[in-house]
Amino acid sequence: MTISPDLVLEGRPAPEPVRSDGPDTLDPPGTPAAGDDARVARRPLRIAVLAAPVALLAALAWTHRSMFYDGYIYLHVVQNILAGHGPVFNQGQRVEAFTSPAWTLLLSVAAFVTPFSLTTIAVDLGIALTLAGLALAVVSSARLVRRASPDTFLLPLGALVFVAVPAVWSLASLGLETGLAFCWLGACLAVLVRWAGAERPAVPAWALVVLGLGPLVRPELGVDSLVFIGVLLIVDRTGRTWQGQVRILAWAAALPLAYQVFRMGYYGMVVANTAVAKEPSLPRVGRGVQYFMDFAGTYWMIIPAVCLAAGAFPPLASALRRTDRPSRNLAVLFALPAAGVLNAAYIVLMGGDYVHARLLVAPLFAVCAPVAVVPLGRRYVISLLVVPWAMLCMAGLRSADGQPFSLSPFLAVHGNGVTNPTIWAWTRQAPFADPSGASGAWIQFDATKPPVLLDQPTAPGLRTPLVATSQIGTAPYELGTGVQILDLLGLADPLTAHLLLTHRGNFAGHEKPLPTPWVQALLTAPGSSTAQIGALQVARPTSYNTLIPPVSGHALDVQTAWARADLSCPAIHTIEYGPSTPLTFGSFVSNIAHSLSHTTMRIPPDPETAYHQLCGPGVPAAVARVMAGPTGP
């Protein structure tokens, strides 16, 4: 028996050719069926064909690279880390305003050891990780397929399906963790393929750690980690002791558990503040289905789904049944697709996202990865239909929406190759006042206009300069760590995040805008007039949710008085101001003990209702004084 050079990826001699009931290859007539010379002559062509999707995606991702608003949230946290303030969004306030701890760490390390700007690092690193993930998927899929079809020519059809989706081209960068998700999924496939080909069931500790990283890459990828670890535990359960099973669980959970202890002690929460703000545990299936159809319908995904489901997975599964260790190989073939389907189902259940395809490209990658390459054979001929679909998809299938805040109904990001930050109205390059150069509290209800300096004394203990805004992406990054930000949508503010979601709005994950009375109470001193902020609130975007009806004049004075009373009572005071207290060993332990109650607590958005539910009955004297005599216009 001869050894194929293509099997160098296996790291061991090639198995005996798998029996088949008839010819299965579609090699051109006259091509030698065997022989080292023929294989060596075709090897450059094989490599070029398999590398083509990676090269194509590199070109498309580079020409469509850009920074997205949410990507700057990560960069502002990194700014604080590099400045010595810790993984926070505002100096002196321990709030976990980022979704991916792994991406935050990776950006911080890269920024520390390289001289490049944060935007350059975030964009280029995202593209590099995307390409690495696709390359890992192609190589690992080839290793798996070669076990069943050692000599057939391989086509990267599954990889082509992934590359053909235009949303992937932009989402590969944007400063977000999406590229890291692709790379992690590709690494998991590589680990599982390696395990499936090993003679012994033991899995190295480093491999188990990799498989368990899902929740640190993105919270919903914890589903994928559970599937991968479950495969290891179930498939080899008869050949492994209970101590071996516990070892798998321990190593896989080591880093997520370590970070969870840190999160509970440092932030005082069981989940990130972003998760509390977005309320992913509240089902919203109708919008989730709409989100899924916006993705699947735009790119006619039913075509590649049917082609791969009928022309790639069944014949490959049939061939893998005749290999050594068939149960492991079959488990690897279906592990990532199963994880991708479950992941997508969870995304649909929680209502999706406001950005087109953003949360669904990772499940797409997971489904395509095991069949990233497919043998060129008669049994796989149906899968070839993905080629004309891919050409059509790349040439003409696009989401119609490309403008922010005019959703139809989801924002589609079309990168244009520009990675410089957008200059917002209040920066020092603008012709009006710069908040970083003056004290006081500024407010921006309308993102198209510069912030307005409040003409009232600021609340006692308030760090200034401070800008209250719903635009916490580009602006805080440009202003730097010296300006405090009050996030009016709650991703970076604990009080806003903990508001009770009374009804759903248009922006998935951005449905808790802080009502005006709370804004006035947080920013201004007791006794301050609400006239200015009452006039400014009419500029609040109507596209956002409204948790309580807006009021002005004396009614706003009264609601603000109730909000100030709320902020003074222990239950609510702890939520908003607890993250700003000094951290000691004792407070770290106390945070762990109270993290669950802090996470599950919800504050009614109406200040009076919040006081009676969480602070006690009756009317505080300060509120009674305001109620007795109107002070507003």
Side-chain angles (χ1 to χ4, degrees):
M1 180 183 72
T2 58
I3 299 176
S4 168
D6 294 306
L7 291 175
V8 67
L9 294 174
E10 289 290 339
R12 58 188 179 86
E16 292 294 336
V18 179
R19 283 186 179 180
S20 64
D21 298 328
D24 191 41
T25 65
L26 292 179
D27 288 336
T31 301
D36 290 343
D37 292 341
R39 294 189 184 94
V40 171
R42 288 188 298 177
R43 187 174 185 182
L45 177 61
R46 292 172 184 248
I47 294 175
V49 170
L50 296 184
V54 180
L56 178 60
L57 181 57
L60 292 170
W62 182 256
T63 55
H64 290 77
R65 71 193 187 282
S66 64
M67 277 294 301
F68 186 56
Y69 313 120
D70 290 0
Y72 288 103
I73 298 177
Y74 283 110
L75 299 192
H76 190 56
V77 174
V78 172
Q79 284 179 323
N80 277 286
I81 292 174
L82 298 178
H85 304 150
V88 298
F89 193 81
N90 283 314
Q91 178 183 352
Q93 187 184 45
R94 296 185 306 277
V95 174
E96 189 177 6
F98 48 89
T99 301
S100 172
W103 182 235
T104 305
L105 175 62
L106 196 58
L107 287 175
S108 301
V109 173
F112 183 77
V113 301
T114 67
F116 307 112
S117 69
L118 287 178
T119 53
T120 298
I121 291 172
V123 170
D124 293 355
L125 190 57
I127 294 175
L129 290 171
T130 298
L131 299 178
L134 183 59
L136 283 169
V138 169
V139 171
S140 303
S141 178
R143 292 185 63 179
L144 182 65
V145 171
R146 285 295 185 201
R147 292 171 187 168
S149 303
D151 298 318
T152 54
F153 195 86
L154 303 180
L155 294 176
L157 299 183
L160 181 62
V161 171
F162 175 72
V163 173
V165 176
V168 172
W169 309 343
S170 295
L171 291 169
S173 57
L174 300 186
L176 300 172
E177 72 287 339
T178 314
L180 179 60
F182 297 147
C183 187
W184 176 74
L185 288 169
C188 288
L189 179 61
V191 166
L192 292 173
V193 169
R194 182 182 185 274
W195 159 76
E199 295 184 4
R200 297 181 180 180
V203 183
W206 66 265
L208 296 172
V209 170
V210 169
L211 294 179
L213 287 177
L216 298 183
V217 177
R218 268 201 69 89
E220 66 268 17
L221 291 179
V223 174
D224 302 61
S225 283
L226 289 176
V227 171
F228 303 153
I229 299 303
V231 165
L232 297 183
L233 293 175
I234 295 173
V235 173
D236 279 336
R237 64 186 182 279
T238 57
R240 188 184 294 121
T241 63
W242 70 266
Q243 293 95 333
Q245 300 284 70
V246 171
R247 172 184 172 274
I248 290 176
L249 290 173
W251 278 110
L255 288 184
L257 282 180
Y259 184 79
Q260 186 62 29
V261 173
F262 168 78
R263 169 186 281 154
M264 294 166 66
Y266 188 78
Y267 298 110
M269 298 280 285
V270 176
V271 298
N273 192 71
T274 55
V276 177
K278 296 179 179 181
E279 300 286 11
S281 61
L282 298 180
R284 198 178 184 187
V285 179
R287 184 177 175 89
V289 171
Q290 186 182 20
Y291 184 70
F292 178 81
M293 293 307 300
D294 176 65
F295 169 71
T298 297
Y299 306 113
W300 302 0
M301 295 303 299
I302 186 65
I303 297 176
V306 170
C307 292
L308 295 181
F313 282 100
L316 184 55
S318 178
L320 287 173
R321 289 192 182 95
R322 302 192 296 273
T323 63
D324 295 337
R325 294 173 287 276
S327 59
R328 289 194 205 169
N329 289 322
L330 286 172
V332 172
L333 177 64
F334 292 108
L336 265 75
V341 170
L342 290 175
N343 196 327
Y346 171 73
I347 291 167
V348 169
L349 180 65
M350 74 175 192
D353 188 44
Y354 76 99
V355 178
H356 165 77
R358 176 181 176 181
L359 299 185
L360 293 173
V361 288
L364 171 67
F365 182 94
V367 170
C368 295
V371 290
V373 302
V374 174
L376 179 59
R378 292 186 178 90
R379 296 171 182 170
Y380 302 87
V381 68
I382 296 177
S383 62
L384 291 173
L385 294 177
V386 303
V387 175
W389 166 84
M391 297 173 64
L392 174 64
C393 189
M394 288 189 288
L397 300 184
R398 299 287 188 280
S399 174
D401 178 51
Q403 298 297 323
F405 314 119
S406 60
L407 307 186
S408 57
F410 306 100
L411 169 63
V413 183
H414 305 297
N416 55 8
V418 177
T419 59
N420 293 326
T422 302
I423 304 301
W424 286 88
W426 56 69
T427 65
R428 54 186 61 89
Q429 300 184 34
F432 23 75
D434 175 7
S436 64
S439 62
W442 305 66
I443 190 162
Q444 186 199 38
F445 283 139
D446 185 351
T448 65
K449 298 178 181 178
V452 176
L453 177 64
L454 292 179
D455 57 7
Q456 300 294 318
T458 58
L462 187 71
R463 285 176 178 262
T464 59
L466 178 145
V467 177
T469 179
S470 59
Q471 307 302 314
I472 67 163
T474 317
Y477 171 75
E478 293 179 348
L479 293 173
T481 61
V483 177
Q484 298 292 105
I485 302 294
L486 173 60
D487 177 15
L488 298 180
L489 290 179
L491 297 179
D493 179 65
L495 172 65
T496 311
H498 282 82
L499 291 178
L500 179 67
L501 183 59
T502 55
H503 56 279
R504 307 310 293 255
N506 294 328
F507 284 79
H510 299 74
E511 300 169 292
K512 296 182 179 181
L514 185 63
T516 304
W518 295 96
V519 179
Q520 175 81 10
L522 286 169
L523 298 185
T524 64
S528 299
S529 171
T530 63
Q532 183 184 22
I533 201 170
L536 291 172
Q537 73 175 338
V538 299
R540 303 199 82 160
T542 57
S543 55
Y544 284 139
N545 206 3
T546 303
L547 296 181
I548 61 175
V551 295
S552 59
H554 182 242
L556 181 55
D557 290 337
V558 173
Q559 286 193 351
T560 299
W562 279 111
R564 287 199 177 98
D566 291 329
L567 294 173
S568 299
C569 80
I572 300 176
H573 185 277
T574 300
I575 293 297
E576 175 64 8
Y577 299 109
S580 301
T581 58
L583 185 66
T584 64
F585 178 77
S587 62
F588 187 92
V589 175
S590 177
N591 285 344
I592 293 177
H594 296 94
S595 58
L596 180 60
S597 60
H598 288 169
T599 304
T600 56
M601 179 181 177
R602 293 297 181 268
I603 302 170
D606 177 73
E608 182 178 358
T609 304
Y611 186 89
H612 292 314
Q613 286 191 10
L614 300 173
C615 304
V619 180
V623 177
R625 286 194 296 271
V626 175
M627 295 174 66
T631 59

